[in-house]
Amino acid sequence: MFTGIVEEVGRVVSFEHKAAAWRLVVEASVVVQGAAIGDSIAVNGCCLTVVEREAKRLSFDLLEETVRLTNISQVGAGGVVNLERSLRPDGSMGGHFVSGHVDGPGEIAVLEPRGADRYLRVRYPAQYRGLLVPKGSIAIDGVSLTVVEVTDEWFSIWLIPHTMEVTNLGGRRAGDRVNLEFDMLAKYVDRLLALREAAARSPQVPGDAPVKPTWQS
């Protein structure tokens, strides 16, 4: 579990296809402190497991599904990624609950200065339309952000200068692919409503016994 508050921007040393999996090596200074084999680190919002640790480097193995759903493979050696260690029980909850499980890709449509801030507009897959609301939360490349506008095709965000300075969003451009994780609570509500609607469309046949929950068996 993460909060979407990026601790530092790391630099990709290498990303190679090994026999068992894709191997990602990242150079870092903050998140490497105290890191151990098996720990979880959010890399561009994707929860990855540390498999090797050096003084200032962390290595991760990625499955094909992770490579397909995220933009990590597109960063390339020398590129930068957002890094965050998993939330400790006594940690500060500065953003929102982020699982590190990327839902899908988004594409930056607009990223431009407007006054002292930056205006960001992102296109997103249509199947996630019900998970966005104005002033709701979303994680973009692992950064916890507040949604401003929502349409069926895109949503917008205002970025303060601090966010541009301490995350990789400062180097983003229109056309770039970003990792999107929609709000966890919104996904649960959406699922519950879908199940309720499905049940309403399939009324119980008279005489059928109510279904007994498995935990009561």
Side-chain angles (χ1 to χ4, degrees):
M1 186 67 68
F2 307 91
T3 68
I5 303 300
V6 172
E7 295 185 86
E8 69 172 316
V9 172
R11 188 167 298 279
V12 174
V13 176
S14 62
F15 184 70
E16 299 176 329
H17 191 211
K18 302 292 187 179
W22 287 86
R23 174 62 60 90
L24 171 69
V25 181
V26 176
E27 187 175 70
S29 58
V30 176
V31 302
V32 74
Q33 298 176 17
I37 305 301
D39 283 355
S40 295
I41 305 287
V43 180
N44 269 8
C46 179
C47 179
L48 300 178
T49 300
V50 177
V51 295
E52 286 186 11
R53 179 189 183 278
E54 300 177 46
K56 288 191 175 182
R57 291 185 177 183
L58 295 174
S59 297
F60 310 89
D61 285 343
L62 282 72
L63 299 175
E64 292 288 347
E65 181 75 356
T66 305
V67 174
R68 183 181 68 83
L69 285 177
T70 72
N71 61 8
I72 293 176
S73 64
Q74 300 174 358
V75 177
V80 294
V81 288
N82 296 325
L83 301 174
E84 180 191 355
R85 289 169 290 190
S86 57
L87 176 64
R88 294 173 56 91
D90 59 348
S92 175
M93 189 66 198
H96 71 283
F97 286 118
V98 177
S99 68
H101 301 154
V102 174
D103 291 303
E107 180 184 306
I108 295 179
V110 178
L111 181 55
E112 61 186 21
R114 295 190 181 182
D117 302 324
R118 296 293 187 275
Y119 176 79
L120 171 64
R121 181 181 291 176
V122 178
R123 299 187 186 95
Y124 67 99
Q127 66 263 37
Y128 300 116
R129 286 180 296 184
L131 303 180
L132 288 168
V133 294
K135 298 187 180 179
S137 297
I138 190 168
I140 300 179
D141 275 356
V143 184
S144 175
L145 297 167
T146 301
V147 176
V148 178
E149 307 164 291
V150 178
T151 75
D152 288 345
E153 298 179 353
W154 55 264
F155 64 88
S156 67
I157 302 282
W158 283 99
L159 300 169
I160 61 174
H162 177 75
T163 303
M164 300 293 287
E165 292 170 5
V166 301
T167 75
N168 69 356
L169 294 177
R172 290 298 194 182
R173 300 289 183 271
D176 285 355
R177 177 181 174 182
V178 291
N179 296 332
L180 299 180
E181 182 186 329
F182 296 88
D183 184 62
M184 184 186 304
L185 298 178
K187 287 189 280 190
Y188 276 115
V189 171
D190 184 67
R191 175 63 173 165
L192 289 171
L193 290 176
L195 290 173
R196 178 173 294 182
E197 291 175 2
R201 290 195 298 269
S202 303
Q204 191 175 31
V205 177
D208 283 355
V211 176
K212 189 177 183 180
T214 56
W215 66 82
Q216 294 181 3
S217 299

